[in-house]
Amino acid sequence: MFPVPRRANELVKEWAGELSEHTGLPRERLLENPECLEFPSGVLRIVLMDESIVEFRWAFHLVSERQKAIAVFTGHCGHHVFPYHGAKVFRDDALVYEQKHDYTPGSRAARQASRHCTPRAARLNRNVRHQDGESMHRSRLGNIVIDCQTDDLLSKARFWSAALGYPLPPDLDATSSFIQLVTPPGDVQVIIQRVHHEARAHLDIETDSIELEVARLERLGATVVSRNDGWVVMQAPTGHRFCVGSPYRGGFDQGANTWK
């Protein structure tokens, strides 16, 4: 397996339950010998919610409701995980899977999707025009994200839940890379997130025009650290990093600041 055998083996471990059910192989055998998988020929194509397309040969896919993801296991190009929100999977041009959800603003599905993949319409410059022709956009604080370098995210989420007085979600997935505490409707959301870098906290700013909001923050002295598919990582003049992304919690139209 190349080019990333170490990461490939980690994904086999993370998806051992689903792989065992799919292949019929004992979980223990998969963990002991991750390279025992067999890969069908043909073309596997995945169309993501933002209309990005990835294709593989000698590969198969698994869908996990538990992990809210699609995993692709390949014989030559490593293993990969993609967000399943709004995704379609084709094998040799035949549709074999289509994920559908209610993406009502503020819904749980919309919040989860926004953490992984933002639709094309949300990434475009959706600013409005003021009467004098000047561009306008809106933004507000969306999340407080507590980054934890840990293999036991649940215990960290339990601490912050007790410390802040916000309950854990009733449909908690302890294997997820993030746990969102239950905050009052309309309040800033608090998310406990598993990361590989040092422990810290950061803010998420949500906006209806990522392009204009990033430009506004750059004028204030912030700098762009990285541009990703659906969000931009920035650094404030104070040295703190934060993210700029599209709206996903309810009440944005009523609670956001308007800039022009």
Side-chain angles (χ1 to χ4, degrees):
M1 182 68 61
F2 74 93
V4 282
R6 180 177 179 181
R7 180 57 181 155
N9 292 345
E10 290 175 1
L11 286 178
V12 170
K13 180 179 179 180
E14 292 175 11
W15 287 72
E18 290 86 351
L19 281 167
S20 178
E21 183 176 349
H22 175 77
T23 63
L25 297 173
R27 181 188 180 98
E28 293 75 17
R29 181 182 174 188
L30 291 166
L31 295 176
E32 292 174 1
N33 182 19
E35 297 184 1
C36 68
L37 297 172
E38 297 182 358
F39 306 96
S41 61
V43 177
L44 180 70
R45 183 170 75 254
I46 299 178
V47 181
L48 300 175
M49 189 173 69
D50 67 348
E51 300 180 22
S52 297
I53 299 174
V54 289
E55 284 191 358
F56 301 93
R57 288 168 174 78
W58 297 100
F60 65 88
H61 79 285
L62 297 176
V63 177
S64 173
E65 290 287 340
R66 176 178 63 87
Q67 301 201 50
K68 310 297 185 207
I70 297 172
V72 175
F73 296 85
T74 81
H76 304 287
C77 299
H79 307 327
H80 311 270
V81 177
F82 303 95
Y84 85 156
H85 306 280
K88 296 180 181 179
V89 180
F90 297 83
R91 177 165 290 281
D92 295 328
D93 294 326
L95 180 66
V96 295
Y97 174 78
E98 181 176 7
Q99 198 278 338
K100 295 181 179 180
H101 257 313
D102 172 22
Y103 286 97
T104 304
S107 68
R108 182 170 185 267
R111 295 196 305 270
Q112 289 176 326
S114 69
R115 299 298 299 171
H116 301 286
C117 182
T118 305
R120 175 174 293 182
R123 297 201 322 274
L124 297 177
N125 183 12
R126 294 184 293 136
N127 54 295
V128 298
R129 293 279 177 179
H130 195 256
Q131 290 181 351
D132 59 7
E134 187 177 0
S135 295
M136 299 169 48
H137 76 284
R138 293 169 296 177
S139 68
R140 69 174 181 181
L141 177 61
N143 296 321
I144 297 173
V145 184
I146 301 174
D147 296 332
C148 303
Q149 189 182 58
T150 180
D151 293 326
D152 183 11
L153 190 64
L154 181 56
S155 68
K156 307 303 183 288
R158 283 172 173 159
F159 167 81
W160 285 108
S161 171
L164 300 175
Y166 296 144
L168 294 171
D171 51 354
L172 173 65
D173 179 2
T175 66
S176 176
S177 60
F178 69 94
I179 297 174
Q180 181 175 312
L181 303 183
V182 180
T183 53
D187 276 18
V188 171
Q189 297 173 156
V190 178
I191 296 173
I192 318 302
Q193 178 173 254
R194 180 186 292 111
V195 297
H196 297 294
H197 56 68
E198 70 277 6
R200 61 191 182 205
H202 74 266
L203 305 178
D204 286 350
I205 294 175
E206 55 181 13
T207 177
D208 58 3
S209 175
I210 295 175
E211 177 184 348
L212 291 183
E213 180 66 3
V214 168
R216 183 183 77 88
L217 294 167
E218 285 181 316
R219 290 193 296 270
L220 295 175
T223 56
V224 172
V225 176
S226 65
R227 296 182 183 272
N228 305 279
D229 187 16
W231 76 96
V232 175
V233 179
M234 303 192 72
Q235 183 163 307
T238 58
H240 299 88
R241 293 193 176 186
F242 60 97
C243 296
V244 179
S246 299
Y248 47 86
R249 68 180 176 94
F252 179 82
D253 290 340
Q254 295 76 35
N257 297 298
T258 299
W259 313 101
K260 63 178 182 177

